[in-house]
Amino acid sequence: MIDFLNRNVFQPHPELLVFITVALGFLFGKLRYRTLALGAVTGCLVAGLLLGAQFEVTIDATVKNLFFTMSLFALGYKVGPQFFRGLKKDGLPQVVNAVVVCVTGLLVSWGFAAMLGYGPGLSAGLLGGALTQSAVIGVAQDAIGNLPGLSAAQTKNEENLVAIGYAVTYPLGTILCALLLANVLPKLYKRDLAAESARLAEELDAPGDDPDLSEGYYEVVLRAYRVERPDLAGRTIDD
């Protein structure tokens, strides 16, 4: 049955497997155990791992790069207004926190990669998955492609290992991060996570309760300016 679907359905039409993976990913993302849920991103990754192990389907490189770039664009487009608004409020602590997390994650990943004897591909995948940063994949694959002394086959193998390392470590990084943020840190700082989240969502105008199904529409933000010179009141810009 799997061979039949592989040869006659998914290989001629790989887009079917892509959309099936997304559908199953959203379904897996709804699974919840107490306060822990996978979410759509991790669910799609798990679905991709399961289906990819069963069906040999090659996705065109242009399609992969296009969808990867679109995901980065959508992420930046969504969090951009909230990012700059939050940066104005308490920018310095956010910058310091980001630097500490990035540097710590890089050093820990580098240490484990060196200890385990990983090459550049698995090392980059370990870093991206542990920090749950998909942008590492594109940057690492471009960097590996420019490494001197590697044959075309070695370069291709290392680029594939980036995705493998990322796919293995991303679910673990997501689950451990969720446990840390939901259970450990609120108790450590003695904060009510539900109340703090509701207050922050109201401040940032977060649309909807489900981040996977919320609308991408934001109301137009209007700005008003006070004219300090009375002689300019009532005049147009052309004047």
Side-chain angles (χ1 to χ4, degrees):
M1 183 64 177
I2 293 180
D3 292 337
F4 174 80
L5 292 175
N6 194 32
R7 292 194 307 268
N8 299 285
V9 179
F10 293 134
Q11 286 186 353
H13 304 284
E15 65 276 5
L16 294 177
L17 192 61
V18 172
F19 288 110
I20 291 175
T21 301
V22 173
L24 289 177
F26 271 82
L27 180 62
F28 292 160
K30 293 299 179 182
L31 299 179
R32 180 180 297 274
Y33 176 73
R34 295 183 179 179
T35 60
L36 183 63
L38 290 179
V41 176
T42 308
C44 288
L45 180 59
V46 172
L49 290 174
L50 295 177
L51 294 178
Q54 302 297 324
F55 303 102
E56 297 180 4
V57 175
T58 301
I59 305 298
D60 185 77
T62 303
V63 176
K64 291 192 293 185
N65 293 332
L66 176 62
F67 276 87
F68 179 72
T69 305
M70 288 177 61
S71 68
L72 296 180
F73 162 76
L75 178 62
Y77 191 81
K78 178 180 179 180
V79 305
Q82 301 175 6
F83 170 77
F84 287 105
R85 198 180 309 173
L87 202 60
K88 291 180 180 179
K89 182 179 179 182
D90 47 2
L92 183 58
Q94 297 289 348
V95 172
V96 172
N97 181 61
V99 171
V100 170
V101 171
C102 291
V103 173
T104 303
L106 177 62
L107 293 178
V108 172
S109 299
W110 175 80
F112 274 96
M115 182 176 62
L116 297 174
Y118 286 171
L122 280 178
S123 300
L126 173 65
L127 173 64
L131 295 180
T132 64
Q133 291 296 321
S134 57
V136 175
I137 298 177
V139 175
Q141 289 179 340
D142 288 340
I144 290 173
N146 295 323
L147 287 177
L150 293 180
S151 64
Q154 290 174 324
T155 300
K156 183 65 176 178
N157 182 61
E158 291 295 336
E159 290 177 349
N160 292 334
L161 288 177
V162 175
I164 294 174
Y166 177 85
V168 172
T169 54
Y170 183 92
L172 185 60
T174 302
I175 293 173
L176 291 179
C177 183
L179 291 175
L180 179 68
L181 294 176
N183 299 311
V184 179
L185 292 183
K187 294 179 181 179
L188 182 63
Y189 288 99
K190 298 180 180 179
R191 297 291 185 90
D192 187 344
L193 183 60
E196 293 288 337
S197 299
R199 181 185 61 80
L200 182 61
E202 184 178 356
E203 290 181 2
L204 298 178
D205 297 328
D209 297 329
D210 190 342
D212 297 329
L213 301 177
S214 60
E215 296 182 359
Y217 171 76
Y218 289 90
E219 295 183 1
V220 178
V221 178
L222 301 179
R223 293 184 179 181
Y225 297 90
R226 181 187 299 275
V227 179
E228 300 292 344
R229 293 176 53 184
D231 58 306
L232 296 179
R235 302 179 64 180
T236 64
I237 296 179
D238 293 334
D239 297 337

